């Protein structure tokens, strides 16, 4: 979840078997990380501008005014997704296994909780997206409009299976929500496997088993991350699966683990050598960006300024609402594009002003979504009586996924 800066589901799930007292998930700014908020604020705005430059007729008008800028946002700004991938990996292991040992005793239930936390606001946003698409279709006919939705299409999106099933998206960018869930599930599985292998070794009793489990779990994450960097991430045929993105996610996880004192220089050097060698084999700007973000997070955590810099209320707020902005920007931009196509004069400056208005509207809609949908759902899911049987949710998900797969 792009807005999981404050806490992760793992760190708030004491009924699921976490071995430590969980922090209050609503303690808000006291537990936030301003640097991560700043990263998310900037990255989310890059995604909004990418969508505005890539979709809708207004971008064609603005291209006449600033062709280089529009082309850059259309093609290159999407790399901001790498920032979210690294941050997600960083925060995932911070909550799941800050020392490499999985803290949860019921990982399947934890996975169900994770699905509920990211899927509930996401499903609401899909309903908004379908309504916005219908409204926009009344005012314009354009290739950026999604097709008329079907029930199975909506169900596939709700189950986060639309990408792997090759189903057309109801909104731009929703593929990331599915990938985020896949990445969390893969990380959880690797940490669980490492713990099981460590327990099987039983070297030196429980303490020794925990140490072995930590080493094995981190090694498994590293191996799969390296496999992603050297193989899966170089083949676009894997881009609907977590393995394609797990290299960047692993860099975030390693940034957390390796920033814990004491830092062993040779380990940092070894990881850097592996990543730089992967870039030498096949240079990818997105991986270079992921490495840079991971290094900044690791240094910030180690030096202690992750929690107090930058001191910017604007960036902090934009970081908090980034998930809402991420979910709402495409449907809102469609409506603004359609309104300017239908009601505004076909003038290059008027239509270019429409792009700027759409940007403001996307941020405003994201803020409204955060306060009216995301926060209430988060408060509800944090209550002890909510989602008391998350493993049942996993079972329902598996049943519906099986039915959907057979139907298709």
């Amino acid at each position: 979840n792009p807005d999981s800066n404050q806490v992760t589901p793992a760190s708030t799930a004491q009924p699921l078997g976490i071995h430590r007292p969980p922090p209050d998930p609503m303690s808000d700014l006291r537990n936030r990380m301003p640097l991560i908020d700043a990263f998310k604020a900037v990255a989310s705005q890059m995604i909004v501008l990418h969508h505005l430059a890539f979709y809708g007729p207004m971008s064609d008008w603005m291209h006449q005014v600033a062709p280089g800028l529009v082309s850059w946002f259309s093609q290159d700004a999407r790399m901001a997704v790498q920032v979210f991938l690294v941050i997600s990996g960083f925060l995932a292991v911070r909550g799941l296994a800050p020392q490499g040992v999985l803290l949860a005793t019921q990982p399947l239930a934890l996975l169900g909780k994770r699905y509920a936390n990211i899927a509930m606001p996401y499903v609401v946003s899909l309903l908004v997206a379908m309504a916005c698409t219908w409204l926009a279709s009344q005012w314009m006919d354009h290739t950026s409009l999604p097709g008329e939705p079907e029930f199975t299409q909506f169900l596939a999106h709700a189950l986060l299976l639309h990408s792997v099933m090759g189903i057309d998206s109801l909104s731009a960018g929703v593929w990331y929500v599915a990938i985020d869930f896949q990445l969390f599930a893969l990380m959880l599985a690797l940490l669980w496997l490492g713990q099981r292998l460590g327990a099987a070794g039983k070297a030196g009793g429980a303490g020794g088993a925990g140490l072995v489990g930590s080493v094995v779990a981190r090694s498994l994450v590293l191996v799969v991350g390296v496999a992603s960097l050297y193989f899966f991430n170089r083949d676009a045929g894997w881009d609907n699966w977590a393995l394609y993105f797990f290299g960047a996610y692993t860099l975030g996880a390693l940034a957390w683990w390796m920033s814990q004192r004491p830092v062993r220089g040779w380990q940092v050097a070894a990881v850097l050598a592996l990543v730089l060698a992967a870039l030498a084999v096949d240079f990818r700007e997105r991986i270079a960006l992921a490495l840079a973000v991971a290094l900044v997070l690791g240094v910030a955590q180690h030096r202690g300024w992750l929690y107090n810099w930058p001191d910017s209320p604007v960036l902090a707020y934009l970081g908090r609402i980034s998930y809402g902005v991420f979910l709402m920007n495409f449907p809102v931009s469609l409506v603004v594009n359609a309104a300017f196509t239908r009601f505004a004069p076909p003038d290059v400056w008027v239509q270019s002003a429409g792009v700027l208005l759409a940007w403001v509207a996307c941020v405003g809609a994201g803020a409204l979504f955060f306060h009216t949908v995301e926060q209430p759902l988060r408060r509800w899911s944090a209550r002890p009586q909510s989602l008391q049987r998350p493993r049942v949710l996993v079972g329902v998900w598996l049943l519906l996924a099986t039915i959907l797969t057979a139907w298709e």
Side-chain angles (χ1 to χ4, degrees), residues 69-299:
L69 185 64
V70 172
S71 296
W72 186 86
F73 278 119
S74 174
Q75 299 302 318
D76 296 327
R78 59 186 174 181
M79 282 198 302
V81 168
Q82 301 299 316
V83 176
F84 287 121
L85 292 170
V86 174
I87 288 173
S88 293
F90 184 88
L91 295 175
V93 298
R94 170 182 174 252
L96 289 172
Q99 302 302 322
V101 179
L102 184 63
L103 299 177
T105 59
Q106 301 179 40
L108 191 60
L110 181 57
L111 188 62
K113 185 81 169 178
R114 173 68 172 185
Y115 170 78
N117 284 344
I118 66 173
M120 287 190 296
Y122 158 74
V123 169
V124 174
S125 77
L126 291 178
L127 297 174
V128 174
M130 290 188 291
C132 288
T133 298
W134 176 85
L135 178 60
S137 69
Q138 307 304 302
W139 294 337
M140 74 174 183
D141 182 15
H142 195 265
T143 56
S144 59
L145 286 169
E148 186 175 343
E150 299 178 355
F151 175 73
T152 54
Q153 183 185 18
F154 176 78
L155 181 60
H157 278 72
L159 296 175
L160 304 178
L161 295 174
H162 51 285
S163 296
V164 298
M165 295 183 67
I167 293 175
D168 291 339
S169 290
L170 293 170
S171 183
V174 294
W175 63 269
Y176 178 84
V177 184
I179 287 296
D180 179 81
F181 181 66
Q182 286 187 38
L183 288 167
F184 184 87
L186 179 56
M187 177 65 76
L188 184 60
L190 293 173
L191 294 172
W192 174 83
L193 180 59
Q195 179 176 282
R196 298 288 292 181
L197 293 175
K202 296 278 184 192
L211 177 61
V212 172
S214 172
V215 172
V216 173
R218 297 186 204 208
S219 299
L220 287 173
V221 171
L222 178 61
V223 167
V224 178
V226 169
S228 173
L229 292 174
Y230 281 84
F231 175 71
F232 297 108
N233 188 256
R234 299 173 61 200
D235 182 356
W238 286 93
D239 66 0
N240 288 326
W241 298 93
L243 287 171
Y244 182 84
F245 301 94
F246 198 71
Y249 200 76
T250 296
L251 290 177
L254 294 175
W256 172 267
W257 281 330
M258 303 185 96
S259 63
Q260 307 302 301
R261 292 181 174 84
V263 177
R264 293 174 174 82
W266 68 268
Q267 293 177 338
V268 177
V271 170
L272 279 175
L274 283 171
V275 180
L276 292 176
L279 291 174
V281 170
D282 183 4
F283 183 79
R284 289 145 286 170
E285 290 181 340
R286 60 185 182 272
I287 299 302
L289 175 60
L291 175 61
V293 173
L295 287 173
V296 172
L297 289 180
V299 171

Side-chain angles (χ1 to χ4, degrees), residues 393-405:
L393 181 61
V394 174
V396 172
W397 183 94
L398 289 171
L399 175 62
L400 290 175
T402 303
I403 294 172
L404 179 64
T405 304

Side-chain angles (χ1 to χ4, degrees), residues 16-56:
L16 305 185
I18 299 299
H19 293 311
R20 58 192 167 95
D24 176 7
M26 301 311 296
S27 57
D28 208 27
L29 295 178
R30 290 177 300 171
N31 291 326
R32 298 194 69 83
M33 304 178 192
L35 180 59
I36 286 183
D37 276 331
F39 269 133
K40 292 196 302 180
V42 175
S44 64
Q45 297 306 307
M46 290 297 102
I47 296 299
V48 173
L49 292 170
H50 165 64
H51 288 162
L52 289 172
F54 194 82
Y55 299 103

